[in-house]
Amino acid sequence: MNEIDQLASAMLVLVFAAVMLVVGHLYVENRSQKLAASPPMQMVSVPPSQTTIGLRSKSPNPAARTYGWNEF
């Protein structure tokens, strides 16, 4: 390859990189404007944790015991 072909190839790479930088900047800018314009997420309230660790069944059989949320 002669020097003219190498220079043309290098210029093409530089133009492509510049276009990709501009397009990426515009995409990020547009995306941030959309996120700023959207309504904020609503907070979900979580009920307070149970004060009892588990619920015990009235049966004397230990296999019949039911477990609370915090015991697993």
Side-chain angles (χ1 to χ4, degrees), residues 56-60:
R56 299 195 184 265
S57 65
K58 299 199 186 253
S59 123

Side-chain angles (χ1 to χ4, degrees), residues 19-43:
V19 168
M20 291 302 290
L21 283 171
V22 170
V23 169
H25 174 72
L26 292 174
Y27 174 78
V28 169
E29 187 177 290
N30 187 22
R31 183 80 175 177
S32 66
Q33 286 177 356
K34 282 184 181 179
L35 289 176
S38 66
M41 290 178 46
Q42 294 180 350
M43 297 298 291

Side-chain angles (χ1 to χ4, degrees), residues 37-71:
S38 66
M41 290 178 46
Q42 294 180 350
M43 297 298 291
V44 177
S45 62
V46 178
S49 64
Q50 297 176 353
T51 56
T52 59
I53 293 177
L55 303 173
R56 299 195 184 265
S57 65
K58 299 199 186 253
S59 123
N61 182 2
R65 180 171 185 253
T66 57
Y67 293 94
W69 179 261
N70 296 330
E71 287 189 61

